[in-house]
Amino acid sequence: MRLDKVLAHLNYGSRKEVKSYIRKGFVLVNGNVITDDDYKVDEASDEIVILDQVVDYQSLLYFVLNKPKNAVCATYDKTDPIVLDWIDCKQKGLFPVGRLDKDTTGFLLITNDGKLAHELLSPKHHVDKVYEVSFTGEFQSHYFEIFKRGVQLEDGYLCKPAYFELLDPQRGRITIHEGKFHQIKRMFQALQLEVTELKRISFAGMPLPKELKEGEYRALTKEEIEYLRKWNK
Ligand code: URA
């Protein structure tokens, strides 16, 4: 991979900042100063030093948090608690992968691996997200077909096909492959239904670990990290 990309993904700075470090001669690969930012490195064998610091590939961290209500998916907020407040880890550079609304609970990946996050969020990869949803209003049987074809939101946007299962008259499970702002709430609104509870129960085929209560988290296992890295490849 390109040297500037590796460093930016490991959070040594933005792409622009790391390019500037490289051009100024602050980066060594296997002991040699490299000033070419598209120099190709092999993450498995090359030693990279930036600003006298050996790049530690192992410093990548991955957590799954069962997001509680009232936490916002951000790395800073003036008024509300942020999801990182629930993670007892002082390492800088952690961030939530994607956004859940403040009142949504469930599976939230938290990492400092910008590359993986970028891949999982890219519309190209169509990562599936499954939510349990409670709603008010009357669910009509032809709505299944509407979900399957794509719900048209009130602003005219035609959603990609979704899969919906009704579990109770006012509760169901929905799988979507995109992540527009308030997407599920707006899909339901377009069908005259109002979402009252929303919980993400699976992300990229990985279920929310059953043992995690709201506000609890755990590190991903090596196998889970590998699984996410290979997702859809
Ligand atoms: N759709 C929503 O409306 N809200 C979320 O938090 C996630 C998906």
Short mmCIF file of all heavy atoms in Angstrom, two decimals, residues 100-101 104 131 182-185 198, ligand 1:
data_model
loop_
_atom_site.label_atom_id
_atom_site.label_comp_id
_atom_site.label_asym_id
_atom_site.label_seq_id
_atom_site.Cartn_x
_atom_site.Cartn_y
_atom_site.Cartn_z
N LEU A 100 -25.38 6.04 14.44
CA LEU A 100 -26.72 5.65 14.86
C LEU A 100 -27.31 6.89 15.51
O LEU A 100 -26.57 7.68 16.12
CB LEU A 100 -26.65 4.51 15.89
CG LEU A 100 -26.15 3.15 15.37
CD1 LEU A 100 -26.03 2.16 16.52
CD2 LEU A 100 -27.10 2.60 14.31
N ASP A 101 -28.61 7.05 15.42
CA ASP A 101 -29.23 8.22 16.05
C ASP A 101 -29.05 8.15 17.56
O ASP A 101 -28.83 7.07 18.12
CB ASP A 101 -30.74 8.25 15.76
CG ASP A 101 -31.03 8.44 14.28
OD1 ASP A 101 -30.15 8.96 13.57
OD2 ASP A 101 -32.14 8.05 13.85
N THR A 104 -31.12 5.52 19.17
CA THR A 104 -30.98 4.14 18.67
C THR A 104 -29.99 3.39 19.54
O THR A 104 -28.99 3.97 19.99
CB THR A 104 -30.49 4.15 17.20
OG1 THR A 104 -31.44 4.84 16.40
CG2 THR A 104 -30.31 2.75 16.65
N TYR A 131 -31.91 -4.29 11.83
CA TYR A 131 -32.46 -3.54 12.97
C TYR A 131 -33.76 -4.19 13.42
O TYR A 131 -34.54 -4.67 12.59
CB TYR A 131 -32.80 -2.10 12.56
CG TYR A 131 -31.62 -1.25 12.19
CD1 TYR A 131 -31.09 -1.31 10.91
CD2 TYR A 131 -31.06 -0.37 13.10
CE1 TYR A 131 -30.00 -0.52 10.55
CE2 TYR A 131 -29.98 0.43 12.76
CZ TYR A 131 -29.45 0.35 11.48
OH TYR A 131 -28.39 1.14 11.12
N HIS A 182 -31.19 9.14 9.26
CA HIS A 182 -32.52 8.73 9.76
C HIS A 182 -33.23 7.77 8.79
O HIS A 182 -34.44 7.85 8.62
CB HIS A 182 -33.44 9.93 9.97
CG HIS A 182 -33.03 10.85 11.06
ND1 HIS A 182 -32.36 10.46 12.19
CD2 HIS A 182 -33.22 12.19 11.18
CE1 HIS A 182 -32.14 11.50 12.97
NE2 HIS A 182 -32.64 12.57 12.38
N GLN A 183 -32.46 6.93 8.14
CA GLN A 183 -33.03 6.17 7.03
C GLN A 183 -34.28 5.36 7.40
O GLN A 183 -35.29 5.44 6.72
CB GLN A 183 -31.98 5.24 6.43
CG GLN A 183 -32.60 4.36 5.35
CD GLN A 183 -31.68 4.08 4.22
OE1 GLN A 183 -30.54 4.49 4.23
NE2 GLN A 183 -32.17 3.36 3.24
N ILE A 184 -34.17 4.59 8.47
CA ILE A 184 -35.31 3.71 8.77
C ILE A 184 -36.51 4.52 9.23
O ILE A 184 -37.65 4.28 8.81
CB ILE A 184 -34.89 2.64 9.79
CG1 ILE A 184 -33.89 1.72 9.08
CG2 ILE A 184 -36.07 1.86 10.33
CD1 ILE A 184 -33.28 0.67 9.93
N LYS A 185 -36.23 5.52 10.05
CA LYS A 185 -37.36 6.36 10.52
C LYS A 185 -38.06 7.01 9.32
O LYS A 185 -39.29 7.08 9.28
CB LYS A 185 -36.84 7.44 11.47
CG LYS A 185 -36.40 6.85 12.81
CD LYS A 185 -35.80 7.91 13.69
CE LYS A 185 -35.25 7.26 14.96
NZ LYS A 185 -34.27 8.10 15.63
N LEU A 198 -35.61 1.64 18.11
CA LEU A 198 -34.76 1.11 17.04
C LEU A 198 -33.49 0.55 17.64
O LEU A 198 -32.82 1.23 18.43
CB LEU A 198 -34.43 2.24 16.06
CG LEU A 198 -33.84 1.87 14.70
CD1 LEU A 198 -34.75 0.91 13.94
CD2 LEU A 198 -33.64 3.14 13.86
N1 URA B 1 -32.04 4.48 10.66
C1 URA B 1 -32.49 5.43 11.50
O1 URA B 1 -33.51 6.05 11.25
N2 URA B 1 -31.78 5.68 12.61
C2 URA B 1 -30.66 5.02 12.95
O2 URA B 1 -30.07 5.28 14.01
C3 URA B 1 -30.21 4.03 12.07
C4 URA B 1 -30.90 3.77 10.93
#
